[in-house]
Amino acid sequence: MAESKHDVVVVGAGGDGPALAWKLGQYGLDVLVLEAGPWHGNEKWERPHEEPGATQSSDPADLNGRLMDEQLNRREQATNDPVAGKLRVGPADRSRAPWFRNQPQNMFIWQVAAVGGTTIHYFGNHPRSYPLAIDEQGHWPIDYADLVPYYQLLEAELPVLPAPTTDKEALFYHGAAEAGYELLDEKNVVAEGYRPQPNAIAHPDEKLRVENNYEGDFTYPDVEGSTLSGHHFQGGSLPLDAPVREKARKSSNVSWVPRALDTGNVTIRPNTFVTNVVTEGILGAPAATGFEYRDTWTGETGTIDAEVVVMAGGCIETPRLWLNSDLPENEWVGKGLTTHWFDWVVGVFDEEAIREAIGSDTVRPYVGQNSAARFDKPGVGGLESIGMSPALSAFAHYAFSRAGYNFDTVVDDDAPWDTRGRLNDANLKRKMADYERTIGVLVLTDDLPRKNNGVELDPAFEDEHGPVPLVQWEPHPDDDEKRDELAEVAADILRGAGAHHVHRSDWPPLLLHMQSSMRMGKVVDENCEAYDVDRLFVGDHSAMANGGGGPNPTHTGQALALRTADRIVELYFSDR
């Protein structure tokens, strides 16, 4: 027998689920959100990685910013380690292993299981998808114009603002202008150029302006908004002492979760892994009626009923849940995965070059928002200037490569970079000695959905939740060409800025931006309702029909989730 019945049950409190729940809660619907990972910054879970705590929370008064500060304390290894860190895909109990995903090729999947999901890691980037990717690439059953009202809602609510300029952005802009590119000033990008990153991060307090010589301790309420400290990847709990909803970076646990609880109609239950979609009906398409779940601390199982069910577990777990449930077969479930085929290009500068370009001696990559400048090239992809803390920088710049060690990697004479591949020992130490005069540029390629890329069930391995996901992604030669083109643009910008050494990391596949494994037009219709199962919706990035052209997917994933909430109400709760 089911424990309870709700109007809507949402599986996943990551980047998109809480936004969808907030919209439904505003309509007055009774919404339950189930999340497999822990909940940081909630008084009902003071020690979320050491003990089970409570079962669920629906009161915004339970949120505690100082508790969040203690739990997400900016220590790189303790937070980011994908095996034993606080932010990983695995149970809250870190003495237990992470949840296994089988990946037969050389690649790295970087996600987080927690209330807030992988937005606890994100840099707050919220650019819109390129209109070309939605209106001209032939994948979407809706138009770009259908998303614009939801983009506007997000931009007003979060809000989304142009990122402030610190030294590393000033140097990137200088290099882009010297390389002959134009400054863009529109949100709907249709031409190539550079611009400030649209970010869901509150602007810095006025008292932090250099001319004011601020000498305080950067804590709330003395400082509100961004402290210009580049520690977002470790959970983004700044400014210290601020209430959860006043943290500067608006990850979904900071933005949509408090808003959802404010409606009085949304309850969130962490540490709850959903294992099966329950359906009923024999003739025609079956209808979803609820979920079966497993408590990740106790192992207890149960069933929860709903009028409408929404899968929002992300591009790996959503198709895995479908495939592990007794649902109709659809050849596109799990297929068409896109991931913005990343690469990384590094520029190293001497003091004189930086001084000549921007009047400073250093770029101090740890100052300012982590990703505050971008370059767009619709049809190919884009670039982002990145500045991070030292360990993450060492990893991204010089330790993560598919090319092998740089001393054993050939660089063509006409290549725009001096070195390529992985650095070690003395070479790594020498390059990191220049850390304060180094900027990284992330390449984001417009990789298109292909049926051979995606998620299926592993035929050999199971865990406590059923067969594990087997994840496969390989770039197409067209994607390689786009990636090479963007890496060359990045090198041109860095040279234009005055870099004396340019290094191409040549990353292996990093599955961080993921889209389209439950594609609109293939698995779900234009309302994001499953073609083959009534009352079953997909409410995360996996419903995107492609990768949006290359821009960071959070903005489009959340816009689509808000649109889906409206469609759920129109279809099944119009009397509300």
Side-chain angles (χ1 to χ4, degrees):
M1 180 178 294
E3 299 174 7
S4 57
K5 186 167 185 176
H6 303 267
D7 291 329
V8 181
V9 175
V10 180
V11 178
D16 303 326
L20 184 146
W22 165 73
K23 199 75 159 60
L24 294 175
Q26 283 195 315
Y27 282 110
L29 301 187
D30 171 23
V31 182
L32 176 66
V33 183
L34 306 176
E35 167 57 45
W39 193 343
H40 303 99
N42 188 304
E43 292 180 354
K44 289 190 172 181
W45 293 272
E46 292 189 4
R47 302 174 70 232
H49 298 284
E50 288 78 33
E51 57 189 22
T55 300
Q56 60 190 34
S57 172
S58 58
D59 187 349
D62 293 337
L63 302 177
N64 186 315
R66 291 188 176 181
L67 183 62
M68 183 176 170
D69 299 341
E70 296 171 9
Q71 295 168 349
L72 302 176
N73 53 25
R74 295 171 289 159
R75 294 173 183 163
E76 289 189 87
Q77 180 68 14
T79 303
N80 298 332
D81 187 309
V83 174
K86 294 178 179 179
L87 303 183
R88 64 172 189 168
V89 173
D93 181 358
R94 290 189 295 158
S95 67
R96 295 164 57 199
W99 290 315
F100 178 57
R101 280 92 174 269
N102 196 2
Q103 50 198 67
Q105 70 273 55
N106 177 27
M107 69 181 188
F108 181 45
I109 301 171
W110 210 335
Q111 290 183 296
V112 177
V115 173
T118 309
T119 67
I120 299 183
H121 260 340
Y122 89 146
F123 291 158
N125 301 338
H126 275 254
R128 298 180 180 186
S129 290
Y130 299 142
L132 175 152
I134 295 174
D135 289 342
E136 299 180 32
Q137 288 184 346
H139 301 130
W140 290 76
I142 63 174
D143 297 328
Y144 185 81
D146 293 321
L147 292 174
V148 169
Y150 297 97
Y151 284 147
Q152 294 171 332
L153 175 60
L154 286 165
E155 288 153 6
E157 282 285 335
L158 289 171
V160 176
L161 303 167
T165 299
T166 59
D167 287 342
K168 63 182 185 296
E169 291 79 44
L171 192 59
F172 181 86
Y173 297 146
H174 174 76
E178 288 294 311
Y181 297 107
E182 299 291 329
L183 177 66
L184 302 176
D185 62 0
E186 63 267 9
K187 295 177 180 179
N188 305 319
V189 175
V190 297
E192 69 177 17
Y194 66 96
R195 56 177 171 145
Q197 184 78 267
N199 276 348
I201 304 175
H203 271 189
D205 198 304
E206 285 294 313
K207 66 183 64 174
L208 298 188
R209 291 182 178 274
V210 174
E211 60 266 31
N212 289 343
N213 295 317
Y214 176 74
E215 296 181 353
D217 59 4
F218 295 89
T219 59
Y220 184 93
D222 188 47
V223 167
E224 299 181 28
S226 174
T227 62
L228 295 177
S229 176
H231 283 286
H232 294 144
F233 207 73
Q234 283 82 262
S237 187
L238 297 174
L240 296 175
D241 294 346
V244 168
R245 68 182 73 229
E246 297 299 327
K247 300 299 184 184
R249 190 203 60 173
K250 306 306 181 184
S251 50
S252 68
N253 59 314
V254 167
S255 56
W256 299 116
V257 165
R259 284 177 171 84
L261 300 182
D262 286 344
T263 68
N265 299 311
V266 177
T267 299
I268 299 177
R269 178 173 178 163
N271 306 311
T272 306
F273 199 111
V274 173
T275 57
N276 184 52
V277 179
V278 179
T279 61
E280 64 180 21
I282 300 174
L283 298 177
T289 61
F291 292 107
E292 295 175 357
Y293 72 87
R294 178 182 180 277
D295 186 291
T296 63
W297 280 97
T298 66
E300 295 176 355
T301 59
T303 303
I304 297 173
D305 287 345
E307 292 291 324
V308 168
V309 297
V310 181
M311 299 190 295
C315 287
I316 294 176
E317 293 300 333
T318 290
R320 180 203 185 186
L321 176 57
W322 179 295
L323 294 169
N324 271 330
S325 302
D326 187 21
L327 299 180
E329 290 187 11
N330 180 309
E331 64 179 354
W332 278 98
V333 168
K335 304 301 183 183
L337 178 69
T338 56
T339 187
H340 293 166
W341 188 205
F342 290 145
D343 200 357
W344 192 272
V345 183
V346 184
V348 184
F349 301 80
D350 57 34
E351 291 182 1
E352 182 178 350
I354 299 171
R355 191 180 307 115
E356 182 177 339
I358 61 172
S360 177
D361 292 336
T362 178
V363 295
R364 294 185 299 165
Y366 48 85
V367 174
Q369 296 176 8
N370 291 118
S371 177
R374 66 178 297 112
F375 170 89
D376 296 291
K377 189 165 187 174
V380 181
L383 306 171
E384 296 177 350
S385 173
I386 306 287
M388 298 186 293
S389 45
L392 285 169
S393 295
F395 167 78
H397 291 353
Y398 306 120
F400 190 55
S401 176
R402 63 174 185 164
Y405 290 105
N406 77 300
F407 59 75
D408 201 30
T409 301
V410 175
V411 176
D412 294 337
D413 292 339
D414 59 348
W417 35 83
D418 303 293
T419 54
R420 182 169 67 97
R422 188 182 308 120
L423 273 62
N424 68 330
D425 298 338
N427 286 332
L428 177 59
K429 291 180 180 179
R430 280 193 292 269
K431 279 291 180 283
M432 284 306 295
D434 293 325
Y435 164 63
E436 291 201 338
R437 298 187 302 280
T438 302
I439 59 175
V441 177
L442 176 65
V443 169
L444 305 96
T445 307
D446 178 17
D447 66 310
L448 301 181
R450 306 184 194 281
K451 199 170 185 180
N452 58 309
N453 288 332
V455 180
E456 57 189 72
L457 296 182
D458 193 290
F461 296 101
E462 293 190 10
D463 63 12
E464 62 268 40
H465 307 121
V468 304
L470 173 65
V471 185
Q472 301 183 80
W473 188 88
E474 292 284 354
H476 188 275
D478 292 348
D479 304 328
D480 288 332
E481 291 180 9
K482 295 176 188 176
R483 182 175 181 259
D484 289 342
E485 179 180 348
L486 291 167
E488 291 173 2
V489 172
D492 289 343
I493 290 173
L494 293 169
R495 293 293 190 194
H500 69 79
H501 186 95
V502 174
H503 176 79
R504 182 178 180 181
S505 301
D506 196 359
W507 278 7
L510 170 62
L511 275 61
L512 176 61
H513 291 182
M514 285 187 279
Q515 307 84 204
S516 58
S517 61
M518 299 286 282
R519 295 172 59 198
M520 178 186 282
K522 297 292 187 182
V523 179
V524 298
D525 63 17
E526 67 275 7
N527 300 312
C528 287
E529 185 175 17
Y531 284 123
D532 305 308
V533 185
D534 293 338
R535 296 179 178 265
L536 177 62
F537 290 78
V538 173
D540 58 35
H541 290 22
S542 66
M544 292 174 59
N546 60 19
N552 313 65
T554 304
H555 207 48
T556 298
Q558 291 184 353
L560 192 58
L562 294 174
R563 181 181 181 275
T564 299
D566 281 346
R567 297 302 182 272
I568 289 171
V569 172
E570 291 171 9
L571 290 168
Y572 294 110
F573 301 99
S574 58
D575 58 328
R576 306 297 179 90

